[in-house]
């Protein structure tokens, strides 16, 4: 598709030499990798990911999806995923744009649309065949980087168009349920927001359930059905992934990183870190720093 080639050229022109970087356009990030990468856990915000070249695999527990230039990825709620680029080379690098959802704009579109909120069994992590209209809108959004004076006026309009096309596409029912205050998906989304905002603190399930507007038993059941993990497991993933980032990118020691993310016991931190990443903290960071194929991407 010609527009996919255009998107690839735009991303290649403005993306960092390696990895992911935010841009001057709010909620737009560009990603590049010149080689396949090792599997890396990371929190994916509710977002749309459009690959213009290459391919990637992401996993949520035992559920994995692959997306590429023919299929786009939709993440409906903030999820701790494991992802790695599986197709990339210096001659044909992995090129992707990530557009985080502006939830107030999404809610405004749903209110204006006034369509009924229907139940849906679609996954909160899903891939769909590429939509030419989405690619066209993404091209126009990325091209604003070449006209920074137009970003404040045009970026919100293009972003609104992208959200509208997602709402009217195959994943629309899930997005409507997120914005619905009385849907289980909307309630779990509020619970996720509270856990993310205070992941360093002791988790109080009663408080999380109250914010979500659910009983504790209902919260556990629906949280696990949607995210494939319990609220405690979700918080643990957030803590350990942030500790890993602190050690890898900021040179923080393992002991300091564990305390920074809320662990009171160094032995518990090391034990849970090893359970998630396969090796103790120091060995994991040394392995990542030495790995030629490690490129932090989302």
């Amino acid at each position: 598709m010609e527009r996919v080639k255009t998107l690839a050229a735009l991303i290649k022109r403005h993306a960092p030499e390696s990895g992911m970087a935010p841009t001057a356009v709010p909620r737009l990030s560009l990603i590049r990798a010149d080689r396949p990468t090792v599997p890396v856990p990371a929190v994916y915000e509710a977002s749309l990911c459009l690959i213009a070249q290459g391919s990637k695999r992401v996993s949520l527990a035992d559920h994995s999806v692959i997306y590429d230039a023919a299929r786009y990825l939709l993440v409906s709620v903030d999820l701790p995923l494991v992802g790695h680029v599986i197709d990339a080379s210096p001659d044909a690098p992995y090129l992707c744009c990530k557009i985080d959802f502006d939830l107030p704009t999404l809610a405004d579109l749903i209110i204006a649309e006034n369509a009924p909120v229907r139940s849906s069994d679609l996954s909160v992590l899903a891939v769909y065949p590429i939509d030419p209209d989405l690619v066209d809108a993404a091209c126009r959004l990325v091209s604003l980087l070449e006209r920074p004076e137009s970003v404040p006026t045009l970026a919100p309009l293009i972003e609104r168009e992208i959200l509208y096309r997602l709402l009217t596409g195959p994943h629309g029912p899930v997005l409507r349920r997120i914005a619905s205050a009385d849907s289980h998906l909307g309630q779990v989304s509020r619970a996720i927001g509270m856990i993310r905002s205070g992941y360093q603190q002791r988790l109080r399930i009663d408080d999380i359930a109250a914010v979500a507007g659910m009983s504790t038993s209902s919260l556990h059941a629906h949280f696990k059905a949607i995210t494939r993990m319990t609220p405690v497991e979700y918080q643990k993933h957030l803590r350990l992934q942030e500790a890993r980032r602190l050690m890898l990118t900021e040179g923080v020691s393992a002991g300091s990183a564990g305390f920074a993310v809320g662990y009171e016991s160094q032995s518990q931190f090391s034990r849970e870190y090893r359970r998630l990443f396969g090796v103790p903290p120091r060995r994991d960071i040394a392995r990542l720093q030495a790995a030629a194929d490690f490129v932090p991407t989302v």
Side-chain angles (χ1 to χ4, degrees):
M1 185 192 301
E2 201 61 37
R3 294 304 284 168
V4 172
K5 293 180 181 178
T6 300
L7 182 61
L10 286 166
I11 296 173
K12 194 171 184 178
R13 192 177 308 148
H14 297 285
E17 290 186 5
S18 180
M20 181 177 75
T23 70
V25 175
R27 290 172 291 280
L28 171 66
S29 298
L30 301 180
I31 308 126
R32 173 175 176 154
D34 290 340
R35 59 181 65 89
T37 64
V38 297
V40 177
V43 176
Y44 285 51
E45 291 81 7
S47 58
L48 162 70
C49 293
L50 286 167
I51 291 178
Q53 190 167 266
S55 61
K56 187 171 185 179
R57 180 194 300 273
V58 292
S59 302
L60 175 63
D62 58 351
H63 175 54
S64 295
V65 296
I66 294 175
Y67 61 112
D68 51 26
R71 294 166 291 186
Y72 64 89
L73 175 76
L74 268 181
V75 182
S76 303
V77 296
D78 297 356
L79 294 173
L81 305 176
V82 177
H84 64 116
V85 174
I86 57 179
D87 180 18
S89 69
D91 292 334
Y94 169 84
L95 301 168
C96 177
C97 69
K98 175 175 177 282
I99 303 167
D100 295 336
F101 294 159
D102 180 45
L103 296 182
T105 299
L106 180 63
D108 182 60
L109 281 169
I110 292 171
I111 292 171
E113 185 185 39
N114 197 29
V117 178
R118 298 186 176 90
S119 61
S120 171
D121 58 359
L122 294 171
S123 172
V124 292
L125 174 69
V127 295
Y128 296 100
I130 199 69
D131 179 347
D133 291 328
L134 273 179
V135 177
D136 180 70
C139 286
R140 286 184 275 116
L141 191 67
V142 177
S143 69
L144 289 180
L145 296 172
E146 298 170 359
R147 292 172 287 143
E149 73 282 355
S150 300
V151 168
T153 300
L154 296 182
L157 300 178
I158 301 172
E159 185 178 10
R160 189 177 180 90
E161 176 190 346
I162 289 170
L163 291 173
Y164 171 77
R165 296 197 180 282
L166 293 176
L167 274 176
T168 55
H171 208 66
V174 175
L175 297 179
R176 291 187 186 88
R177 287 176 63 212
I178 292 171
S180 175
D182 58 354
S183 74
H184 291 143
L185 187 53
Q187 291 169 315
V188 168
S189 182
R190 292 201 298 275
I192 287 173
M194 184 173 182
I195 294 172
R196 288 202 69 187
S197 66
Y199 68 89
Q200 307 99 326
Q201 303 166 10
R202 185 183 297 276
L203 189 67
R204 301 182 184 278
I205 294 297
D206 289 345
D207 293 343
I208 302 294
V211 167
M214 310 171 83
S215 67
T216 56
S217 60
S218 181
L219 172 65
H220 271 284
H222 292 291
F223 198 102
K224 188 159 189 176
I226 289 169
T227 68
R228 298 176 183 253
M229 60 188 72
T230 67
V232 171
E233 290 169 338
Y234 187 97
Q235 182 199 42
K236 190 180 301 182
H237 276 69
L238 294 181
R239 284 181 168 185
L240 294 172
Q241 289 173 12
E242 175 60 12
R244 194 190 212 197
R245 186 195 68 79
L246 289 172
M247 290 184 288
L248 185 63
T249 65
E250 299 185 20
V252 175
S253 69
S256 297
F259 287 121
V261 300
Y263 282 92
E264 298 177 359
S265 165
Q266 181 62 30
S267 60
Q268 182 188 10
F269 168 64
S270 296
R271 184 170 58 253
E272 293 186 352
Y273 191 101
R274 180 170 187 165
R275 190 175 298 136
L276 179 62
F277 298 116
V279 292
R282 291 183 182 86
R283 282 177 55 193
D284 178 52
I285 298 306
R287 178 186 64 176
L288 291 177
Q289 290 173 336
D293 61 351
F294 173 68
V295 180
T297 63
V298 171

